[in-house]
Amino acid sequence: MTDIAELTRLMIYHGFASTGVCPSRQQMSAQLVVPPAAIDSAMNELQEQRHIAVDDRGEVVLAHPFCSVNLGFSVMGRETLWWGGCAWDSFAIPHLILDEPSVLVATTCPGCGAAHAWIVGTVAPPAGEQLAHFLVPTARIWDDVVHTCANQRIFCGEECIDRWLLATGNERGSVFDLATLWRLAEHWYEGRLGSPYARREPSEAKAYFQSVGLHGAFWGTEPLPEKEGFDYSI
């Protein structure tokens, strides 16, 4: 990336990390002492390289694991409240922000509307019989990343997953327990608040998924018959 793009990326991520809010383009322009056009160019570069996702107005919606809109999860620290982009991102925030030893992750079950909350820390997975259901395979995460994240949810159990699938007409994705979700989130975003940030190569991502107990075509450890290649750039 260009230097301005990397500095802009750091401002976005550190802004989210410290306040729960993305700094505005005007704030970034002023702090970096560059013209607004330079920030616009940097944001385009960051979006093209999938460090961020923006809406129709060009505002940042996702800078994983942070989100600027409600996609179903709130994450409460001691002094900061975040929107979690998904189950994966919400469980990842305490692992990324080192001065937050634990957070309160809250959501509702898409199948029945029941409220759920867990204290998620960095030592061990939270207790609970709930199940995570991820709808979109890793190969298609960035086809519509907001849709992908909005459908990485936590359900009461199999009955609620089946009810939701029937109501929405979706096909079953990947289902796993909270301990696996916690392991998936534990190290995935390491280094994202530092510079330079190097995204995992596909082979590294595949090995990571396997190491936390996630296997099969959904996770790219076996080929999808209708699409070759896998995209792990989140």
Side-chain angles (χ1 to χ4, degrees), residues 35-59:
I39 298 298
D40 292 340
S41 178
M43 294 281 280
N44 290 336
E45 186 176 346
L46 292 174
Q47 184 179 14
E48 288 172 1
Q49 297 191 19
R50 298 176 175 176
H51 290 285
I52 61 173
V54 303
D55 61 18
D56 294 339
R57 300 169 299 165
E59 301 298 327

Side-chain angles (χ1 to χ4, degrees), residues 20-41:
V21 177
C22 181
S24 69
R25 293 183 185 231
Q26 292 78 11
Q27 289 172 319
M28 291 188 281
S29 175
Q31 186 165 333
L32 295 178
V33 196
V34 297
I39 298 298
D40 292 340
S41 178

Side-chain angles (χ1 to χ4, degrees), residues 29-198:
S29 175
Q31 186 165 333
L32 295 178
V33 196
V34 297
I39 298 298
D40 292 340
S41 178
M43 294 281 280
N44 290 336
E45 186 176 346
L46 292 174
Q47 184 179 14
E48 288 172 1
Q49 297 191 19
R50 298 176 175 176
H51 290 285
I52 61 173
V54 303
D55 61 18
D56 294 339
R57 300 169 299 165
E59 301 298 327
V60 176
V61 177
L62 288 164
H64 296 287
F66 307 111
C67 189
S68 64
V69 299
N70 181 4
L71 293 182
F73 289 86
S74 63
V75 182
M76 185 176 70
R78 291 172 298 179
E79 298 181 357
T80 307
L81 181 64
W82 297 273
W83 290 124
C86 56
W88 185 349
D89 288 351
S90 299
F91 273 48
I93 286 176
H95 299 288
L96 183 64
I97 301 177
L98 300 182
D99 59 354
E100 287 285 358
S102 64
V103 297
L104 177 67
V105 174
T107 190
T108 56
C109 172
C112 71
H116 296 293
W118 307 268
I119 300 294
V120 180
T122 58
V123 177
E129 299 300 318
Q130 297 87 356
L131 295 173
H133 175 270
F134 284 20
L135 181 65
V136 181
T138 53
R140 300 189 179 92
I141 282 175
W142 280 91
D143 289 357
D144 182 343
V145 69
V146 176
H147 170 77
T148 297
C149 289
N151 286 283
Q152 294 181 346
R153 300 295 301 273
I154 300 177
F155 293 75
C156 298
E158 290 283 1
E159 182 178 348
C160 283
I161 293 173
D162 291 341
R163 181 185 297 122
W164 180 80
L165 292 173
L166 181 63
T168 60
N170 288 310
E171 296 183 2
R172 184 181 177 92
S174 180
V175 177
F176 46 97
D177 60 17
L178 295 183
T180 303
L181 176 63
W182 185 87
R183 293 194 301 271
L184 173 64
E186 185 179 9
H187 297 296
W188 183 254
Y189 293 117
E190 281 182 348
R192 190 151 286 197
L193 294 179
S195 183
Y197 174 70

